[in-house]
Amino acid sequence: MFDQFKMMSDMMKGMDPNQLKDLMKQAEGSKKAIEDMVRTIVKEEIQKQELVSKKDLERILKN
């Protein structure tokens, strides 16, 4: 992992500011896509395993 950071650091040294901004936008987009994918997978697993959410548990306890 350290090698990957070193490689990215070396690659970014030769970039102009606009290229770095574009790279950061792409990274933010990728991060959001990964977060959305993880949320979807977690929701599917919760339903698949028939787990109870905090909201469901609070509703059950109220009644």
Side-chain angles (χ1 to χ4, degrees), residues 16-63:
D16 66 48
N18 288 331
Q19 287 176 316
L20 288 174
K21 286 179 187 177
D22 290 342
L23 185 62
M24 290 303 293
K25 285 180 186 176
Q26 288 176 354
E28 289 173 13
S30 296
K31 179 184 172 197
K32 181 167 177 14
I34 291 170
E35 288 173 350
D36 291 344
M37 186 185 323
V38 169
R39 280 189 191 95
T40 300
I41 292 170
V42 169
K43 285 179 184 178
E44 289 172 357
E45 282 300 312
I46 287 171
Q47 290 174 350
K48 182 174 144 186
Q49 295 183 26
E50 297 180 357
L51 300 175
V52 179
S53 70
K54 180 181 175 183
K55 186 183 280 187
D56 291 337
L57 185 58
E58 289 172 346
R59 185 177 40 83
I60 291 168
L61 291 174
K62 275 186 177 180
N63 297 332

